[in-house]
Amino acid sequence: MHISQSARAAHAPTAEPDLRHHGDVEVRGMGAELTDLAVNVRTGTPPEWLRERIAESLGTLAAYPDGRAARRAVAARHGLPEERVLLTAGAAEAFVLLARALPVRRAVVVHPQFTEPEAALRDAGHTVERVVLTPEDGFRLDPRAVPGDADLVVVGNPTNPTSVLHPASTLARLARPGRILVVDEAFMDAVPVERESLASRTDLPGLVVLRSLTKTWGLAGLRVGYVLAAPDTVAVLERAQPLWPVSSPALVAAEACSAPRAMAEAALAAHVTAADRAHLLARLAEFPELTVQGPAAGPFVLVRLPGAAAVRSRLRGLGFAVRRGDTFPGLGPDYLRLAVRDRATSDRFVTALRTALDDLSGRSAATDGTDGHGADRAGSGAGTAGTGGGGTAGNGLAEARATR
């Protein structure tokens, strides 16, 4: 791992990753034309009972939102007093509030991870330093890499996009007086028994835990999440919010998803996701040219693949959207993030991936004049692939597949 300092947004170098690129861009406007492996929202959600609860709330839209019941429910869900809970319009709003409301002197973001925290800090005028984890270390964090005088540290757990689950004891070592430690636990409810969560801890100074209802419950369009922190921090952030920041339907969803029935359903879904992930990993092991970063703990996996840009483009032609990795600081063009889906979908994806790799390696071999049959095959199906990878990527794929 290493430490780097990013420039303010106005002076960002052109080589900087696009921090505003997110997985929804991969499928925007495509509707049912693509199987979505780019966005980490659980399929088949929101469940019918939750849709009904939200629909019932529409009759209250004439009244201003009242978040008291939802706040009580979230607090009870985590065994915390209400004054330690702040409801937000998605976890993304929390990043903006933290960046704008707190007097930050030295901000450090641990990468690769969700890029909105750094983007929000930059937009608020802060210079951001990066602690960049490496595949050689398994993208695992050594707390000693974080500068001791950093007064704001942001880390994801489990981390998007690496799917690494850091031990709670490791993250706890980052907490100290005078520092705000922000742990983004947006995917923690997808981890069986939420092991390694810090959400219910009240003994760590400066701890701020962020949660989202988007991933497990399929509520990306509703925008609802929450902050768990010390009462004084919650009060500062709440003063920075506009009036009535969370809509009545979103508040109803927060209350409903914190109920025992919902927690039991989420717990079961986490175990199903773990089993589906194991199946996906077993199928990906069939490809010697592909490296899975792991062990994975989230509802997605990160893979490294030569010529990933061309593969991603070819997969779109075959009906699958996957998340590019080069917009995450610390990763590069050979990385892809794949959402975990049910076994049948993963099997279909593996078939498409094999086709994409065969097409691209065959086309590359034909370009080298070594496989005329491969040229015919690639020419009939390469379509969109030519825009993404170039000849060098194709050669890398051909060399890798020759080892099979």
Side-chain angles (χ1 to χ4, degrees):
M1 65 188 70
H2 63 276
I3 302 173
S4 66
Q5 181 166 306
S6 65
R8 294 177 186 269
H11 305 290
T14 56
E16 275 289 288
D18 179 3
L19 301 180
R20 295 296 192 186
H21 181 95
H22 300 297
D24 62 310
V25 175
E26 310 285 353
V27 293
R28 189 173 296 163
M30 297 299 290
E33 298 176 41
L34 294 173
T35 297
D36 182 8
L37 304 186
V39 175
N40 296 318
V41 174
R42 185 165 63 103
T43 56
T45 54
E48 181 62 28
W49 64 265
L50 181 55
R51 289 198 297 269
E52 291 175 356
R53 285 287 302 274
I54 294 171
E56 291 170 1
S57 74
L58 299 182
T60 69
L61 292 183
Y64 285 96
D66 182 350
R68 290 176 295 177
R71 192 172 189 175
R72 283 195 299 271
V74 170
R77 181 242 193 276
H78 292 286
L80 296 171
E82 294 176 38
E83 58 267 26
R84 296 187 71 95
V85 176
L86 178 67
L87 297 162
T88 59
E93 187 204 6
F95 294 125
V96 173
L97 294 175
L98 290 163
R100 294 180 179 177
L102 299 180
V104 178
R105 179 180 46 79
R106 188 177 186 184
V108 172
V109 178
V110 178
H111 283 290
Q113 78 149 330
F114 185 50
T115 53
E116 277 302 305
E118 179 171 326
L121 286 163
R122 285 187 178 196
D123 289 346
H126 301 290
T127 297
V128 180
E129 294 177 60
R130 296 171 179 166
V131 171
V132 181
L133 311 184
T134 65
E136 291 77 18
D137 296 326
F139 294 109
R140 290 172 177 80
L141 174 64
D142 181 347
R144 294 173 296 182
V146 176
D149 62 344
D151 59 350
L152 176 69
V153 178
V154 185
V155 61
N157 203 39
T159 305
N160 171 22
T162 63
S163 207
V164 167
L165 184 66
H166 300 291
S169 58
T170 297
L171 299 184
R173 290 171 56 191
L174 294 173
R176 62 191 59 184
R179 168 184 289 176
I180 296 295
L181 170 61
V182 180
V183 182
D184 177 7
E185 291 190 355
F187 293 98
M188 187 60 79
D189 58 355
V191 177
V193 303
E194 298 192 6
R195 65 186 191 277
E196 313 304 344
S197 173
L198 295 176
S200 298
R201 296 280 296 268
T202 60
D203 59 315
L204 299 176
L207 176 65
V208 175
V209 174
L210 307 184
R211 286 293 188 105
S212 169
L213 301 182
T214 293
K215 320 304 180 186
T216 289
W217 298 111
L219 298 176
L222 201 58
R223 309 310 306 142
V224 57
Y226 52 89
V227 176
L228 305 173
D232 56 345
T233 301
V234 167
V236 169
L237 299 179
E238 190 170 20
R239 285 195 294 270
Q241 281 185 309
L243 290 174
W244 312 290
V246 183
S247 70
S248 295
L251 292 171
V252 166
E255 182 180 1
C257 292
S258 300
R261 170 188 173 180
M263 291 179 63
E265 183 174 326
L268 176 60
H271 286 285
V272 171
T273 296
D276 288 341
R277 183 179 62 239
H279 178 78
L280 173 60
L281 293 175
R283 295 303 313 273
L284 293 176
E286 299 172 12
F287 300 90
E289 62 270 60
L290 181 151
T291 301
V292 179
Q293 307 299 322
F300 49 89
V301 298
L302 181 68
V303 302
R304 191 171 189 174
L305 177 66
V311 175
R312 171 174 156 269
S313 182
R314 182 69 187 102
L315 284 170
R316 287 183 69 83
L318 295 168
F320 286 87
V322 298
R323 174 66 158 89
R324 60 191 286 190
D326 60 341
T327 63
F328 293 98
L331 300 184
D334 286 345
Y335 284 93
L336 298 172
R337 191 191 69 194
L338 313 174
V340 173
R341 300 295 186 229
D342 62 89
R343 298 185 182 198
T345 300
S346 292
D347 288 341
R348 289 194 298 109
F349 169 72
V350 167
T351 298
L353 178 60
R354 182 171 287 110
T355 299
L357 293 172
D358 286 345
D359 285 353
L360 292 166
S361 60
R363 184 179 62 184
S364 175
T367 302
D368 292 340
T370 58
D371 186 358
H373 297 293
D376 292 338
R377 177 181 57 188
S380 65
T384 58
T387 62
T392 301
N395 290 337
L397 286 167
E399 292 170 4
R401 293 188 72 74
T403 65
R404 294 187 66 177

